[in-house]
């Protein structure tokens, strides 16, 4: 599009956000896709109310060809619109209908627009998706994904979350296709022998980003919930037998939410559709949630325990959104955490009740650690932070909005008690149903709920040692400032001295340290001691404070079960006492407490509060550890150190460290059964341990995997491998050229559809550079390997010692294509940028990364993920310079 500055100058509006003069009330939308020419036509009639006199109606449209536009005055409206002209402003994705006479305030009009467009080639807007049948025939379908700003690619609309309206949708399709939308089908009309028009019921009042429609040949299975809602799972016809687990889970979860929120689900049905091409995990469109296939489809014979956990959590997340996000929506994207932090947090609450056997509480910690990793960087942002344009909005879909949001809610619930928290939530949802809210609306509701409860309940008064609960003041410290606190604990006899500061990673920047001191949080501290396992509570609202214990103790552990979003440092011999406790009797404290000590001590090394030897001393106890969380946490801390060395070719020390890590877990690895027995967490631990052992070439594991692989290959893939050991077997098999080719042939075979991610991960671990290059090219092309899986592939290749140069070169050479496919600012792009570069630790690598990203046009160069990548590499360089020799010495002293 040639943008003529003179034409842009005529445009009647000059801001990214739409004016409030005209408000939509009801959209009447007719969409007619053609799955052969990959185009669609549409007409939209938007009933609007005019709030103040204006000649211009400004709304959104992107890549639409408008063929007709009019403004019609509503019944009894004396002011007609005349000589309506259409103007475009493509950089801001806006169009304007201009009337020669002003529209009158207080009256209603209908905007009538006809248009056509291409089905999108990306994963947003109204886009094309394809799949192959078992016979190899390519089938096409069309599906939508609008959040945050892509509804405007499917129809002209007021595409901001606060412009809520009703939607009446009609879709034209061929008789052999099926159309779905947010609401149930009311009737179908035969327009011609080859064309049917489906009419869907009118929706409730909702935001544009939640509208959805699909035209496909999907099949479905259904059940009715206890509350009378019809739940259906839709998939490509050949995978419908993998939909039963999701159907049962969705029924249980929707029933749970209706009971928990005491607000009925307002629609008659909830469809869950598995889309063959899908960028994120899933999307909460009201009444028609959409998922990538691996987030919904489960084969009891072939799927692993980790897959069951992921599917359950994803469904729990999207169904929580039907209340948090859909019924009550943030006013603007700066408060996205009110949607995403909540849905993430509700996964924990709901699945805990509906699927207790999954023990979701075991994995919640990992989330908070992940969030802290990003939140410790200077490039982080407050949970609630201003955004304007589409790329900035997309950048809000990150660890801070999701994971940190859920962690501070978990802390808040622990602080207020479950009952007070729940009653605050329910009041908030009831008060703002079908409306939009800001951060402070939510916080004020919890404040009033908690003061109301504590005014008559003594137990709540005893719950916290500081009387007045000002929840708003407390929550503002967590939502309006970035980062998190480091609490330093010094024990002097019975007195425990406390000090808080911002946890600051900035290694060498003195100005950053000054900057870090300006922060103060209201921290709900919890602790246990060697003398008392009853959780004690204390709200710290000042820079320093003192707690007086009833008697002297041998050790004290703060942040019980890591329910709080903060890190703890123990001065003097505080750490030695805890390390000693782990060595002598680690089960005295919970496995979450052990995992948090492992995490915290390595974080403290990063900011020079402790030596790396001290952190390694703590890990020695892990030879006796058997629980999943501390073990995964130990791996999460130790393996990246080994990876940094691998990137610098430090062979001897690298090998010693690898041997040390393998030796720590060796006894547990040797004990693993190569089967699918055990609880979910035992099965997930097995999967992680065997994968770890095989990737590190631990011989007994490699031998066993090779034996399994050759039997499996001889059976031409018909031998059933235990679901949780498959990944390890595939990884070892992929190390030979024939094994790799055999795996690739199975990757393309329909009977291995639930194993695709596992096979891809094994394929990306080959040492053959040509094969790695082919994988990335294929992933981007999207024929054999779906483009949706490309981000995962390139990051896997980057983690492979034979592939990290290739991945970086591939990212540079294909940057434009990646942006086109995955959108500037998306979490996919962020994942690629950080995943490809986060193991670099040399100055030349840093220079290359800086040089490439600064050469890009401004919008790309300013992405937050690029700042994060650069900070992480700087941090790695400092870390290696500082600790490499010390690790070397420690390993020589502690060789098994």
């Amino acid at each position: 599009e040639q943008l003529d500055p003179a034409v842009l100058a005529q445009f009647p509006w000059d801001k990214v956000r739409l004016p409030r003069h005209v408000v939509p009330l009801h959209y009447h939308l007719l969409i007619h896709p053609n799955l052969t020419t990959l185009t669609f036509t549409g007409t939209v009639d938007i009933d609007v109310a005019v709030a103040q006199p204006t000649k211009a109606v400004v709304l959104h449209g992107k890549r639409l060809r408008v063929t007709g536009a009019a403004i019609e005055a509503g019944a009894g409206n004396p002011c007609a619109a005349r000589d309506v002209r259409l103007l475009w402003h493509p950089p801001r994705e806006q169009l304007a209908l201009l009337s020669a006479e002003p529209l009158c305030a207080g009256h209603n009009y209908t905007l009538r627009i006809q248009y056509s467009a291409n089905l999108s080639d990306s994963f947003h807007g109204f886009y094309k998706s394809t799949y192959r049948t078992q016979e190899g025939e390519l089938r096409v379908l069309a599906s939508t994904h609008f959040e945050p700003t892509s509804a405007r690619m499917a129809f002209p609309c007021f595409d901001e979350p606060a412009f809520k309206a009703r939607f009446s949708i009609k879709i034209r399709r061929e008789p052999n296709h099926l159309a779905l939308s947010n609401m149930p089908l009311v009737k179908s009309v035969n327009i011609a022998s080859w064309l049917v028009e489906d009419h869907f019921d009118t929706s409730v009042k909702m935001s544009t980003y939640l509208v959805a429609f699909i035209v496909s040949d999907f099949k479905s299975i259904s059940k009715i919930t206890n509350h009378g809602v019809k739940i259906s799972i839709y998939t490509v016809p050949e995978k419908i037998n993998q939909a039963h687990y999701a159907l049962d889970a969705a029924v249980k979860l929707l029933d749970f939410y209706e009971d928990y929120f005491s607000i009925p689900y307002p629609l008659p049905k909830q469809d869950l559709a598995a889309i063959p091409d899908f960028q994120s995990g899933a999307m909460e469109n009201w009444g028609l949630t959409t998922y990538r296939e691996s987030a919904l489809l489960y084969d009891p014979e072939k799927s692993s325990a980790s897959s069951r956990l992921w599917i359950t959590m994803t469904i729990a997340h999207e169904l929580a959104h039907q209340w948090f996000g859909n019924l009550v929506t943030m006013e603007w994207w700066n408060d996205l955490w009110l949607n995403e932090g909540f849905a993430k947090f509700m996964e924990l609450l709901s699945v805990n009740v509906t699927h207790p056997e999954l023990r979701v509480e075991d994995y919640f910690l990992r989330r908070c650690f992940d969030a802290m990793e990003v939140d410790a960087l200077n490039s982080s942002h407050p949970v609630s932070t201003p955004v304007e344009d589409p790329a900035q909005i997309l950048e809000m879909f990150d660890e801070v909005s999701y994971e940190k949001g859920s962690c501070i809610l978990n802390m808040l619930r622990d602080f207020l008690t479950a009952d007070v928290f729940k009653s605050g939530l329910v009041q908030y949802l009831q008060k703002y149903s079908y409306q939009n809210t800001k951060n402070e609306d939510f916080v004020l509701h919890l404040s009033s709920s908690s003061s109301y409860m504590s005014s008559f309940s003594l137990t709540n008064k005893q719950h916290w040692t500081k009387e007045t609960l000002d929840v708003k003041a407390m929550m503002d410290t967590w939502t309006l400032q970035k980062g998190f606190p480091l609490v330093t604990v010094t024990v002097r006899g019975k007195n425990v001295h406390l000090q808080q500061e911002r946890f600051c990673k900035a290694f060498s920047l003195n100005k950053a340290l000054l900057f870090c001191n300006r922060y103060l949080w209201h921290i709900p501290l919890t602790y246990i001691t060697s003398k008392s396992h009853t959780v004690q509570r204390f709200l710290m609202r000042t820079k320093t404070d003192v707690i007086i214990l009833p008697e002297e103790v041998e050790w004290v552990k703060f942040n019980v079960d890591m329910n709080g979003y903060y890190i703890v440092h123990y001065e003097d011999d505080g750490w030695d006492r805890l390390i000693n406790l782990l060595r002598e009797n680690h089960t005295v404290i919970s496995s979450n407490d052990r995992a948090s000590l492992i995490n915290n001590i390595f974080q403290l090394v990063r900011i020079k509060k402790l030596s790396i030897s001290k952190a390694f001393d703590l890990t020695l106890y892990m030879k006796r550890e058997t629980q999943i969380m501390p073990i995964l946490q130990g791996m999460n801390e130790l393996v990246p150190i080994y990876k940094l060395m691998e990137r610098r070719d430090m062979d001897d020390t690298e090998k010693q460290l690898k041997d040390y890590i393998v030796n720590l877990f060796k006894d547990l690895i040797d004990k693993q059964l190569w089967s699918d027995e055990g609880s979910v967490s035992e099965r997930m631990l097995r999967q992680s341990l065997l994968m770890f052992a095989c990737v590190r070439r631990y011989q007994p594991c490699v031998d066993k995997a090779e034996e399994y692989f050759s039997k499996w290959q001889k059976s031409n893939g018909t031998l059933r491998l235990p679901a949780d050991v498959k990944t390890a077997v595939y990884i070892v098999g992929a190390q030979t050229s024939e094994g790799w080719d055999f795996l690739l042939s199975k990757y393309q075979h329909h009977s291995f559809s639930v194993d695709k991610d596992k096979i891809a991960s094994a394929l990306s671990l080959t040492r053959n550079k040509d094969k790695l290059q082919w994988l990335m090219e294929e992933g981007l092309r999207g024929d054999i390997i779906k483009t949706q899986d490309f981000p995962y592939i390139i990051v896997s290749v980057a983690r492979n010692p034979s592939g990290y140069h290739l991945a970086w070169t591939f990212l540079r050479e294909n940057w434009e294509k990646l942006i086109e496919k995955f959108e500037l600012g998306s979490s996919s792009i962020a994942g690629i940028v950080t995943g490809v570069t986060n193991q670099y630790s040399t100055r030349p690598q840093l220079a290359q990364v800086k040089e490439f990203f600064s050469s890009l046009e401004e919008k790309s160069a300013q992405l937050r993920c690029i700042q994060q990548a650069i900070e992480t590499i700087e941090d790695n360089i400092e870390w290696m310079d500082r600790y490499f020799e010390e690790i070397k010495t420690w390993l020589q002293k502690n060789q098994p």
Side-chain angles (χ1 to χ4, degrees):
E1 296 167 28
Q2 286 305 308
L3 300 181
D4 178 351
V7 174
L8 288 184
Q10 288 177 20
F11 197 78
W13 185 246
D14 63 354
K15 295 182 177 60
V16 177
R17 299 279 297 271
L18 297 181
R20 302 257 152 201
H21 312 147
V22 177
V23 183
L25 304 169
H26 197 143
Y27 291 78
H28 303 266
L29 181 61
L30 169 64
I31 296 270
H32 182 180
N34 182 327
L35 299 186
T36 311
T37 60
L38 304 179
T39 55
F40 66 98
T41 55
T43 57
V44 65
D45 291 0
I46 313 174
D47 300 336
V48 299
V50 176
Q52 55 196 80
T54 177
K55 286 185 176 180
V57 180
V58 183
L59 63 166
H60 288 108
K62 181 178 175 184
R63 299 189 195 151
L64 304 175
R65 295 178 288 276
V66 171
T67 50
I71 303 178
E72 295 181 8
N77 181 346
C79 323
R82 283 200 338 216
D83 307 331
V84 173
R85 290 195 304 142
L86 176 76
L87 289 176
W88 280 94
H89 196 298
R92 283 203 293 267
E93 303 175 355
Q94 291 170 356
L95 68 153
L97 302 186
L98 238 54
S99 162
E101 301 291 329
L103 308 183
C104 299
H107 287 284
N108 290 4
Y109 293 81
T110 299
L111 316 177
R112 184 155 289 166
I113 304 173
Q114 291 86 34
Y115 62 98
S116 65
N118 295 335
L119 285 173
S120 165
D121 217 2
S122 60
F123 301 96
H124 43 277
F126 191 21
Y127 70 93
K128 170 194 93 161
S129 172
T130 58
Y131 72 94
R132 284 197 187 279
T133 64
Q134 288 176 12
E135 287 71 50
E137 178 201 342
L138 192 71
R139 299 231 173 126
V140 179
L141 60 130
S143 180
T144 58
H145 185 106
F146 293 159
E147 189 181 30
T149 61
S150 294
R152 62 192 71 170
M153 293 172 72
F155 58 99
C157 57
F158 296 80
D159 201 8
E160 293 180 7
F163 286 113
K164 289 192 171 184
R166 292 173 177 274
F167 293 83
S168 301
I169 295 176
K170 297 176 182 172
I171 296 179
R172 291 188 172 173
R173 58 169 175 89
E174 292 175 21
N176 58 336
H177 279 134
L178 160 91
L180 295 171
S181 185
N182 306 79
M183 298 300 290
L185 183 66
V186 183
K187 64 171 180 181
S188 297
V189 182
N190 291 326
I191 306 262
S193 61
W194 47 272
L195 193 64
V196 180
E197 184 175 281
D198 288 333
H199 296 211
F200 296 91
D201 214 342
T202 298
S203 75
V204 294
K205 204 172 150 193
M206 66 183 198
S207 304
T208 46
Y209 76 87
L210 293 168
V211 173
F213 34 89
I214 302 171
V215 176
S216 69
D217 62 346
F218 286 176
K219 292 267 176 289
S220 67
I221 55 171
S222 309
K223 266 190 184 166
I224 308 284
T225 68
N226 291 338
H227 292 271
V229 180
K230 182 182 183 184
I231 306 244
S232 308
I233 313 282
Y234 284 86
T235 77
V236 303
E238 287 158 2
K239 295 183 181 174
I240 195 64
N241 60 339
Q242 297 169 17
H244 296 277
Y245 179 78
L247 182 60
D248 291 339
V251 168
K252 277 186 187 164
L253 284 158
L254 200 73
D255 274 333
F256 169 84
Y257 286 132
E258 290 207 52
D259 294 335
Y260 184 87
F261 294 133
S262 318
I263 298 174
Y265 173 72
L267 311 184
K269 60 95 174 170
Q270 168 68 249
D271 298 333
L272 296 82
I275 312 295
D277 299 275
F278 202 87
Q279 184 170 343
S280 57
M283 175 63 209
E284 70 265 22
N285 318 301
W286 215 344
L288 175 53
T289 51
T290 47
Y291 301 76
R292 70 162 52 204
E293 290 185 330
S294 60
L296 199 65
L297 304 183
Y298 181 82
D299 181 332
E301 280 296 296
K302 298 177 181 170
S303 297
S304 59
S306 52
S307 159
R308 179 162 33 135
L309 178 71
W310 190 46
I311 290 167
T312 318
M313 298 292 266
T314 308
I315 295 172
H317 182 98
E318 303 316 323
L319 295 186
H321 271 312
Q322 309 300 299
W323 285 265
F324 270 103
N326 301 11
L327 184 65
V328 179
T329 313
M330 73 266 134
E331 172 89 23
W332 180 245
W333 303 104
N334 60 322
D335 283 327
L336 176 69
W337 87 278
L338 289 177
N339 277 18
E340 296 302 348
F342 265 99
K344 220 48 192 146
F345 170 72
M346 289 309 297
E347 294 171 18
L348 170 79
L349 227 59
S350 59
V351 176
N352 221 333
V353 174
T354 59
H355 298 76
E357 74 286 357
L358 293 179
R359 293 192 54 86
V360 281
E361 62 282 3
D362 285 354
Y363 312 102
F364 195 78
L365 276 200
R366 180 76 233 131
R367 254 181 212 184
C368 307
F369 298 148
D370 288 346
M372 284 174 159
E373 195 156 326
V374 173
D375 205 17
L377 299 172
N378 219 12
S379 50
S380 186
H381 62 91
V383 167
S384 184
T385 203
V387 286
E388 278 277 295
D389 65 50
Q392 291 172 336
I393 292 169
L394 267 175
E395 283 193 291
M396 288 299 284
F397 291 77
D398 69 354
E399 289 86 351
V400 173
S401 296
Y402 283 70
E403 276 77 8
K404 178 177 180 176
S406 66
C407 292
I408 58 182
L409 287 168
N410 186 46
M411 173 169 71
L412 186 64
R413 176 168 175 261
D414 187 54
F415 170 67
L416 292 174
T417 71
D419 292 346
V420 178
F421 181 78
K422 177 176 167 175
S423 82
L425 286 198
V426 170
Q427 288 170 28
Y428 164 78
L429 287 173
Q430 285 170 339
K431 176 169 179 182
Y432 294 108
S433 289
Y434 304 105
Q435 297 174 53
N436 296 78
T437 57
K438 298 187 183 68
N439 188 39
E440 56 262 31
D441 297 322
F442 165 67
V443 177
L444 285 167
H445 253 263
L446 280 180
S447 290
S448 61
S449 159
S450 64
S451 54
Y452 168 71
M453 297 290 276
S454 58
S455 60
F456 65 81
S457 104
L458 265 175
T459 53
N460 205 49
K461 279 282 204 278
Q462 290 154 0
H463 193 71
W464 288 96
T465 44
K466 298 259 175 161
E467 297 309 68
T468 50
L469 286 184
D470 183 349
V471 178
K472 182 179 181 332
M474 173 195 154
M475 277 302 278
D476 283 351
T477 69
W478 298 96
T479 59
L480 303 180
Q481 51 186 2
K482 65 180 175 184
F484 54 88
L486 163 66
V487 175
T488 301
V489 174
T490 314
V491 180
R492 300 255 186 276
K494 286 197 275 190
N495 292 1
V496 180
H497 295 264
L498 304 169
Q499 179 194 333
Q500 64 158 300
E501 64 200 285
R502 180 176 162 205
F503 181 94
C504 257
K505 238 189 198 175
F507 250 132
S508 51
L509 308 174
N510 292 327
K511 63 172 188 285
L513 291 174
L514 281 172
F515 178 68
C516 289
N517 287 333
R518 294 209 301 260
Y519 286 73
L520 182 74
W521 282 266
H522 291 191
I523 313 172
L525 296 175
T526 54
Y527 61 96
I528 51 174
T529 68
S530 55
K531 294 281 169 68
S532 163
H533 270 237
T534 309
V535 178
Q536 304 296 322
R537 298 170 182 275
F538 180 82
L539 183 59
M540 181 176 184
R541 294 190 285 198
T542 48
K543 202 96 185 120
T544 58
D545 216 328
V546 183
I547 296 174
I548 299 163
L549 300 174
E551 54 185 321
E552 291 197 16
V553 296
E554 272 163 56
W555 54 263
V556 57
K557 160 76 174 73
F558 273 79
N559 201 355
V560 181
D561 284 339
M562 188 85 194
N563 271 328
Y565 188 71
Y566 58 95
I567 277 180
V568 185
H569 175 42
Y570 302 91
E571 279 285 14
D572 302 337
D573 63 350
W575 272 109
D576 293 334
R577 287 165 180 256
L578 289 165
I579 289 170
N580 208 31
L581 166 73
L582 290 175
R583 234 174 253 170
E584 285 174 6
N585 190 1
H586 65 276
T587 54
V588 169
I589 56 174
S590 70
S591 67
N592 276 359
D593 273 331
R594 302 196 298 272
S596 78
L597 288 174
I598 296 166
N599 167 272
N600 284 198
I601 201 165
F602 278 93
Q603 298 318 306
L604 291 164
V605 170
R606 293 211 93 125
I607 58 167
K608 307 180 186 173
K609 293 277 183 192
L610 285 171
S611 68
I612 188 74
S613 311
K614 188 70 77 193
F616 270 79
D617 287 345
L618 182 140
T619 62
L620 285 164
Y621 101 89
M622 296 192 74
K623 266 202 94 56
R624 291 184 308 286
E625 183 58 84
T626 57
Q627 296 299 303
I628 185 164
M629 276 319 289
I631 286 177
L632 292 185
Q633 200 49 45
M635 286 184 181
N636 282 325
E637 301 299 348
L638 292 167
V639 172
I641 298 176
Y642 156 75
K643 286 289 204 190
L644 287 179
M645 293 182 184
E646 201 173 60
R647 293 288 165 277
R648 287 186 168 197
D649 305 325
M650 298 171 153
D651 294 344
D652 294 353
T653 311
E654 180 192 318
K655 185 180 176 328
Q656 282 187 329
L657 178 55
K658 182 177 81 173
D659 293 346
Y660 172 70
I661 306 172
V662 170
N663 191 54
L664 265 190
F665 303 118
K666 177 177 148 345
D667 297 348
L668 200 55
I669 292 166
D670 293 343
K671 279 201 197 92
Q672 296 304 310
L673 301 171
W674 287 57
S675 72
D676 286 336
E677 284 164 46
S679 67
V680 171
S681 54
E682 284 166 344
R683 290 180 59 182
M684 285 178 57
L685 182 60
R686 172 185 305 135
Q687 183 173 324
S688 298
L689 282 171
L690 295 181
M691 232 174 105
F692 165 81
C694 283
V695 171
R696 307 286 165 259
R697 312 295 297 165
Y698 174 56
Q699 212 49 51
C701 183
V702 172
D703 295 344
K704 192 140 192 184
E706 274 173 351
E707 184 190 333
Y708 265 102
F709 189 82
S710 84
K711 283 183 186 159
W712 179 69
Q713 195 173 354
K714 284 201 185 82
S715 77
N716 194 19
T718 55
L719 175 80
R720 186 188 172 275
L721 293 172
D724 303 304
V725 304
K726 272 181 198 168
T727 317
V729 173
Y730 294 159
I731 284 169
V732 170
Q735 295 307 308
T736 68
S737 191
E738 315 77 87
W740 196 92
D741 294 340
F742 181 72
L743 276 164
L744 180 65
S745 70
K746 292 301 164 225
Y747 182 87
Q748 298 169 71
H749 195 271
H750 63 87
S751 64
F752 288 90
S753 65
V754 296
D755 283 353
K756 278 195 151 160
D757 293 348
K758 294 187 179 68
I759 297 176
S761 141
L763 293 174
S764 68
L765 284 167
T766 173
R767 280 171 289 211
N768 179 321
K769 292 194 159 92
D770 294 338
K771 285 181 169 8
L772 292 173
Q773 183 67 22
W774 181 88
L775 269 182
M776 292 187 292
E777 284 166 5
E778 225 11 87
L780 194 52
R781 185 159 57 240
D783 185 23
I784 295 174
I785 298 169
K786 291 246 175 221
T787 306
Q788 64 170 19
D789 299 324
F790 171 80
Y792 174 74
I793 300 265
I794 189 173
V795 171
S796 284
V797 171
R799 293 184 69 78
N800 178 339
S802 310
Y804 71 100
H805 291 305
L806 296 174
W808 169 240
T809 307
F810 195 89
L811 177 141
R812 284 192 320 218
E813 289 173 357
N814 294 282
W815 181 256
E816 290 307 318
K817 277 188 198 151
L818 294 177
I819 295 299
E820 212 174 298
K821 264 297 181 204
F822 296 110
E823 271 192 295
L824 197 65
S826 69
S827 57
S828 307
I829 293 289
I832 293 170
V833 169
T834 50
V836 167
T837 60
N838 65 8
Q839 289 166 354
Y840 291 170
S841 68
T842 66
R843 287 175 177 78
Q845 287 166 334
L846 174 65
Q848 270 191 28
V849 170
K850 280 184 158 168
E851 183 192 12
F852 170 68
F853 286 119
S854 60
S855 74
L856 300 174
E857 50 108 23
E858 191 184 15
K859 259 208 171 12
S860 290
Q862 287 178 339
L863 288 176
R864 187 181 287 118
C865 63
I866 292 169
Q867 307 316 310
Q868 287 168 342
I870 290 169
E871 267 190 86
T872 300
I873 300 170
E874 289 171 342
D875 194 41
N876 291 344
I877 292 173
E878 291 257 10
W879 200 97
M880 286 295 274
D881 289 351
R882 190 175 177 88
Y883 295 124
F884 177 70
E885 289 303 324
E886 193 183 334
I887 293 175
K888 201 168 164 176
T889 314
W890 190 93
L891 287 168
Q892 279 156 358
K893 271 214 299 259
N894 291 275
Q895 266 316 329

